[in-house]
Amino acid sequence: MELKIYQDKNGVAQEFSKYFAEKAKGGEPFHVALSGGSTPKIVFDVLAKEFGASIDWKLVHFYWGDERCVLPTDDESNYKMTVEHLLSKIDIPEENIHRIKGENDPEEEAVRYAQVLKDELMEKMVFHSLIW
């Protein structure tokens, strides 16, 4: 494991965005779990502005690691923050955005989203492991 330390959030955003863009060049689907907070906002801004046109967004799939139990238009929504800072600024297919529906009943949504993750990730992981 390698530990990298940067001077500030802007340094993190720049370096992570370069890393992200490089990883997304593989020609195969690229699955990313997102979180909320102030550092991801800066990363999303850099990704959109500096790499938005050069990444093949058709290959990128976004998921959320956490979400608040609020409407997707609520200022507390991690999904809303991602839309404002990244998704509205890039050309990504709607079907590649796998959000947690915070407006739904939390228990039912946990079951639904677990199935989304299973359908989108687990079966693909098995497929890839069969190729190797």
Side-chain angles (χ1 to χ4, degrees):
M1 186 165 92
E2 184 179 350
L3 175 65
K4 295 185 178 188
I5 300 172
Y6 298 98
Q7 197 70 19
D8 55 26
K9 291 179 185 180
N10 291 325
V12 172
Q14 288 293 327
E15 292 305 313
F16 181 79
S17 294
K18 289 177 197 173
Y19 174 81
F20 183 102
E22 187 62 35
K23 288 292 187 183
K25 286 183 183 176
E28 294 187 25
F30 181 57
H31 299 267
V32 182
L34 303 173
S35 64
S38 59
T39 301
K41 279 183 191 179
I42 297 167
V43 171
F44 298 160
D45 289 339
V46 171
L47 269 174
K49 183 178 180 184
E50 296 183 24
F51 298 93
S54 64
I55 292 174
D56 185 358
W57 295 104
K58 292 185 303 287
L59 297 174
V60 179
H61 288 257
F62 287 122
Y63 305 85
W64 275 256
D66 65 288
E67 180 59 289
R68 293 175 178 90
C69 296
V70 297
L71 293 170
T73 55
D74 191 289
D75 287 339
E76 293 297 311
S77 169
N78 288 329
Y79 170 75
K80 179 184 178 187
M81 182 273 293
T82 306
V83 168
E84 290 175 347
H85 291 270
L86 179 62
L87 299 178
S88 66
K89 300 173 183 178
I90 61 173
D91 187 22
I92 187 168
E94 186 71 29
E95 63 268 17
N96 291 15
I97 301 169
H98 311 279
R99 76 175 184 92
I100 297 171
K101 296 180 179 180
E103 68 274 23
N104 290 353
D105 174 77
E107 290 182 16
E108 291 174 10
E109 182 56 16
V111 171
R112 185 200 71 84
Y113 202 65
Q115 188 63 48
V116 167
L117 296 176
K118 180 180 178 190
D119 293 346
E120 292 294 324
L121 300 172
M122 296 305 289
E123 292 172 10
K124 291 170 179 66
M125 291 172 71
V126 171
F127 177 76
H128 286 294
S129 66
L130 291 174
I131 292 173
W132 294 102

